[in-house]
Structure formats: C-alpha cells, structure tokens
Amino acid sequence: MNFIETRGNDGQFPLEITFSQAILSPMSSFGGLYSPKSLPKLGLAFLEKHLYSDYKTLARAILDEFEIDIEPEIITAALNLYDHFDDPKNPVPVVKVREDLYVSELYHGPTRAFKDMALQPFGTVLSAIAQARKEKYLILAATSGDTGPAALDTFRNKENVQVACLYPEGGTSDVQRLQMVTEDADNLKVIGIKGDFDDAQSALKMLLTSESFKEKLKDNQVSLSAANSVNFGRIIFQTIYHVHSYLELIRQSAIQLGDKVYLNVPSGNFGNALGGYYAYKMGLPVEQILIASNNNNVLTKFIQTGVYDLRNLEVIPTTSPAMDILKSSNIERILFDLFGAARTKELMFALDKEKHYELTADELAQIQSIFAADFCTDEEGEAYIKQAFEEGYLMDPHTATCFKSYETCRKQPSLKTIVYSTAEWTKFSPVIANAISGVTDLHDIDALKIIAEKAQVKIPAKIQALFDQPVSQSTVIDKNDIETEILNFLG
C-alpha cells in the first residue's frame, strides 16, 4: 500500500510513499497529511473468516490486507504488546449496557486510555524502523491528556528514539498529569505550556513543517516524526478495534453477520472516528458514525451545517478535557477521501488563513450520509454518568457524551449502537465521584477512594502508585519557547 498527500504535491515531496515512510515523516506538501491511496476491501467473507479469531489474529489479518512494508517479526513483536493488557485473550471487552447499546472498552492497556490501542504497537514499529535504518528520531507528541502518557509509555527507553511531549498546563486531569510528570527515562521530555491543546498541536505542526528546525536537528543527526494521529501509524491500528467490536456483537448474539450498526465515538481530534470511517469504507456494515462532542462543539456544527468556523472561539474547559479541541486534524483526511486533494487544500488554507470554511450543499449531503453529531454539556454528562451507574455501569465523562448522541442522532433506533469508551474511570475521578455521590471539590486520590468504595472496585495499582512517585518533569514554559526547550533537551 502506498500513501498520497491530502493537499496535493508541491514538487518537493515524492508523489507516493510507503507505510514506513509515512510513519517516519507524517507531514506532506503544503502542510498536509498522508492518506492511503486506496483501501483494502473487507467483505462479509473476511468478517466470517475471522468471527472467532482472537484480537491479535484479526489485527494481523487487517494489517496484511493493507500490505504494509513492515517485517513480519516486527509486527509480531508489536501485536504481542496486547498480551500485557488486562485480559491478553480479549484486550477490548465489549460490554452490554442496554438492550441496544454496547460499550467497547478501549482503556485496558498500561495507561488506562484508548491511546494505548494504537501507541503500544506503534512505538515498537517506529523504533524498529529507526534501528534498522541506523537513524535517530525525535518524536513530538501534543496531548490533551491521553496521547502523552501513552506515547511516553510506549517509547520509554526505546533505542534510537527521543520524545518531547507537550501538554497544556492545567488542561488535563491530575492523574493524566502525574502519568507524564513522573516519567524519568532519559529519552523522554515532558513540557507543560501556558495555553490550551490547540496551542500545543499548532506548535507541533509548525515544528514538523519547519525547515529551520529540521536543519537544527540534522546538526544532532536527528530526524523528526510525531506520535499524534497526524501520523497514519496511529490510525491504522485504530481501524482494527472497530472491526473487532462488530464481531464481538455477533459472538454475543446481539446481531447477525451483515446487520448494520451505529458507531458512536467521543471525538476531539477525530482519529478514533477516522478509524471507524476507514473500517466502514473497507466494508464494515455501518449505518452511520455518530460523533459526540462537549461544549467545544465545532465538530457538531460542522456536521450539522457544513460550516467549520473558529472565528471568535476559544477552548472552553470542560469535564471531558481530552475533547477540549477546536481544530480537529483528522477531518482533513475525511475531506480528502470525499472531495479530493485540490478541494481539501482550498478548505484547509481557508481555515488556516480565515479561520473558517463552508462546504457546498452537495458536499454537506455526503458528510451527513455518513456522520451525525450532537454535543453534551457537563451537566448532561454527569446525569448520564449517574444514570448508567444506577443501571450497573461505571463510565468516564468522555464516554458519557456518547449517550447524548445515542439518544438524539439515531434514525434507525432498532439497530444496535457501539459506544467507544476512551478512558477508565480512574482518569477523571472527581467528575465521576461528584456525579454518583454529590461530593464536590475533591482531589483525585480522595475521589478514587469514594468511587472504589461505592462501586466495589479496586483502584488499579499503577494509578494508586502515581501519588507516591516523585515529580521528575517540572518544565512549564511559554509556547514561544518550545523549540528552544526541545533543542536544549537534545543538547
């Protein structure tokens, strides 16, 4: 499989590149991204063949369909990391919550969030490629809370790799922050910035496309890559769990092979939803993909009206902070797949320069044939958390946003809905403790204890231990000083 550029070619980049090249250098001409030139087809015969395959077998089969240029032994080592999840035989449990609503729990990896599903194997693949080429790489990561811990975990002490992770100071939960600032491996650097996630992501993209920064890295014999979902190495692993979740519903006798379902995704940067879109395009029987947002509801407005408008907007802090994002990178890949490179370049340049763009009526109709969207306020989210808890299910505030779109967006309510739960309850415990007990203004450790007692569950040892570990990463800087800080780290 080869990859092509979402904004067309400027004559400075190859017309097509391989998967390994896309992993190592994720940005393309005119500041665009790489997307598959074509997608494999996974028809009903493929689904039937893998109805009883375990997760790793299914993952390898899908990767084989993509025909990626990665050695089989590297893929084996990467997929074997799923053996370290809570249940090696089933790293992604799919739990029935209501008669027509099932939750795909993506958070059973080492950092208790869905980013582990892609970043655990991704780290092994990228490090192996770098070692085989005898090259050194700086991996940039910008995080709204979950990418950071997952990237740091997967690249910890990996050969030929150094990581600089940017996070918005005060913009993550305490547990997410502790997962980052207690990392002490020599090849990891955590940088808090005075700003929001969009500032961190903009800084990442600027550095990825900065020729002067790349020249400075060359002085240290270092090349540049990224761990965010601008890197298709993330997205390819995120297509797999959508197929797995569908097969799980068949195995649980909730549906029959060929029945359509709704995929219901809490979305900030749109990588999770993009994985579902590619699964749908490859042949997964999907009625529609429901996009759940919080009060930062740019995506909802875009899908409902065709207008992507950032004018006079600032990020609103919410109780689902990993979704506190206004500029969703992976919408670009949707635009490219539906409307082509020339139109994508036109729209993305308008967003960069004028902070808004508008689809035509025909383009909006294409978007709405695949996606529907709604947003969930903090108050509504806490009500959904309380309701689900009383029904016997414990969930985090990001998952809760999906219950709003589940109620409002389905045109075929007889079809089953798969909600994607992106984080364990431990990551956002004060919000959950308030929702189920009414107690407010709690520190994370006190909230965790309240939830554990009320829900009769144990606090995972890795989460409990965070509160006793020393802080080894205390850097907090202005966003304008990021490049200097990173170069000092590489020193």
Side-chain angles (χ1 to χ4, degrees):
M1 163 167 288
N2 280 350
F3 289 77
I4 54 179
E5 300 165 287
T6 55
R7 303 184 189 183
N9 186 266
D10 63 2
Q12 304 300 311
F13 290 77
L15 293 176
E16 298 182 12
I17 63 172
T18 65
F19 177 72
S20 61
Q21 290 172 318
I23 281 185
L24 294 176
S25 300
M27 302 301 290
S28 67
S29 298
F30 307 111
L33 307 176
Y34 283 107
S35 282
K37 184 178 180 180
S38 61
L39 291 168
K41 296 298 181 184
L42 308 181
L44 295 184
F46 177 92
L47 297 176
E48 185 171 24
K49 178 180 178 180
H50 292 285
L51 180 55
Y52 296 104
S53 294
D54 61 29
Y55 193 89
K56 289 196 299 182
T57 302
L58 174 66
R60 178 177 283 280
I62 292 175
L63 294 176
D64 286 346
E65 292 291 328
F66 273 96
E67 298 181 339
I68 58 176
D69 61 326
I70 305 297
E71 296 297 323
E73 60 269 21
I74 296 175
I75 295 176
T76 297
L79 296 180
N80 281 344
L81 293 172
Y82 291 130
D83 293 341
H84 301 294
F85 283 47
D86 290 345
D87 182 355
K89 295 181 180 179
N90 187 16
V92 185
V94 179
V95 179
K96 181 179 180 180
V97 176
R98 296 179 185 169
E99 190 60 35
D100 60 351
L101 188 154
Y102 289 73
V103 176
S104 180
E105 296 181 342
L106 304 175
Y107 54 73
H108 289 276
T111 72
R112 320 310 296 173
F114 84 107
K115 301 298 175 70
D116 289 326
M117 293 304 303
L119 280 169
Q120 281 291 299
F122 173 79
T124 293
V125 170
L126 193 150
S127 177
I129 296 171
Q131 290 177 64
R133 295 185 176 210
K134 295 182 172 58
E135 297 173 346
K136 294 182 180 180
Y137 276 84
L138 169 66
I139 311 299
L140 296 181
T143 185
S144 56
D146 284 331
T147 291
L152 296 167
D153 185 271
T154 195
F155 286 115
R156 185 190 302 116
N157 296 319
K158 284 282 199 307
E159 295 292 329
N160 294 50
V161 171
Q162 292 173 280
V163 178
C165 176
L166 312 176
Y167 75 96
E169 183 191 23
T172 70
S173 74
D174 283 350
V175 166
Q176 290 172 319
R177 180 183 60 82
L178 287 171
Q179 285 179 314
M180 292 185 281
V181 301
T182 57
E183 286 282 5
D184 61 0
D186 290 340
N187 70 324
L188 307 178
K189 178 65 176 179
V190 178
I191 302 172
I193 66 166
K194 298 171 183 176
D196 54 38
F197 172 76
D198 281 359
D199 293 321
Q201 181 167 251
S202 294
L204 176 142
K205 288 185 174 180
M206 181 187 70
L207 292 174
L208 285 172
T209 56
S210 169
E211 292 303 321
S212 64
F213 183 61
K214 292 177 183 177
E215 286 299 320
K216 293 172 185 176
L217 294 183
K218 283 183 180 178
D219 293 340
N220 291 306
Q221 297 181 315
V222 173
S223 298
L224 186 61
S225 188
N228 280 64
S229 57
V230 295
N231 195 316
F232 199 85
R234 280 269 306 273
I235 301 300
I236 197 169
F237 288 106
Q238 290 183 267
T239 64
I240 297 165
Y241 52 68
H242 293 286
V243 180
H244 161 82
S245 300
Y246 181 87
L247 294 175
E248 268 293 295
L249 260 62
I250 301 175
R251 291 189 278 262
Q252 295 181 29
S253 300
I255 61 173
Q256 295 181 349
L257 181 64
D259 288 350
K260 289 187 175 182
V261 298
Y262 285 103
L263 308 183
N264 193 341
V265 186
S267 201
N269 221 14
F270 218 76
N272 197 352
L274 180 68
Y277 172 79
Y278 284 141
Y280 155 74
K281 289 294 293 284
M282 290 189 291
L284 195 69
V286 172
E287 176 67 19
Q288 219 172 15
I289 302 170
L290 311 182
I291 304 301
S293 298
N294 58 23
N295 276 333
N296 296 289
N297 59 343
V298 173
L299 285 173
T300 300
K301 292 177 181 177
F302 170 66
I303 292 169
Q304 290 181 352
T305 69
V307 177
Y308 205 112
D309 194 348
L310 303 181
R311 291 171 295 183
N312 303 315
L313 288 185
E314 293 184 358
V315 172
I316 302 168
T318 72
T319 56
S320 49
M323 297 158 62
D324 291 349
I325 298 169
L326 296 178
K327 197 171 183 180
S328 299
S329 291
N330 284 294
I331 287 291
E332 178 166 345
R333 288 185 167 117
I334 299 291
L335 299 177
F336 169 72
D337 193 69
L338 292 176
F339 311 134
R343 179 61 169 155
T344 301
K345 179 185 173 185
E346 177 185 7
L347 293 172
M348 297 310 299
F349 273 30
L351 188 64
D352 289 339
K353 294 178 181 178
E354 302 169 17
K355 293 193 173 183
H356 79 286
Y357 63 74
E358 184 170 353
L359 301 182
T360 66
D362 287 344
E363 289 168 344
L364 177 59
Q366 290 185 62
I367 291 286
Q368 291 180 341
S369 70
I370 303 164
F371 298 99
D374 203 349
F375 74 99
C376 179
T377 67
D378 288 352
E379 294 75 20
E380 289 172 327
E382 290 203 18
Y384 287 125
I385 290 170
K386 182 178 181 181
Q387 180 184 14
F389 184 73
E390 290 171 349
E391 294 173 354
Y393 190 72
L394 181 62
M395 65 181 177
D396 89 301
H398 302 77
T399 309
T401 64
C402 292
F403 280 59
K404 175 72 175 293
S405 47
Y406 158 80
E407 288 184 349
T408 63
C409 291
R410 296 176 303 149
K411 297 176 183 176
Q412 300 289 337
S414 61
L415 300 182
K416 300 295 190 288
T417 297
I418 303 172
V419 164
Y420 290 89
S421 185
T422 54
E424 188 180 59
W425 60 273
T426 55
K427 305 293 284 283
F428 306 95
S429 54
V431 178
I432 300 168
N434 181 39
I436 67 177
S437 70
V439 182
T440 60
D441 299 325
L442 289 168
H443 293 294
D444 278 36
I445 186 63
D446 299 317
L448 287 166
K449 291 176 181 176
I450 287 175
I451 298 168
E453 180 180 358
K454 198 168 180 66
Q456 294 296 292
V457 293
K458 289 185 177 181
I459 303 171
K462 273 193 171 184
I463 299 296
Q464 181 81 52
L466 287 172
F467 297 92
D468 298 319
Q469 293 177 13
V471 171
S472 55
Q473 306 264 6
S474 57
T475 301
V476 178
I477 60 174
D478 186 270
K479 59 187 178 183
N480 296 320
D481 298 327
I482 292 171
E483 180 175 331
T484 299
E485 188 67 34
I486 292 174
L487 291 173
N488 288 339
F489 162 58
L490 295 176

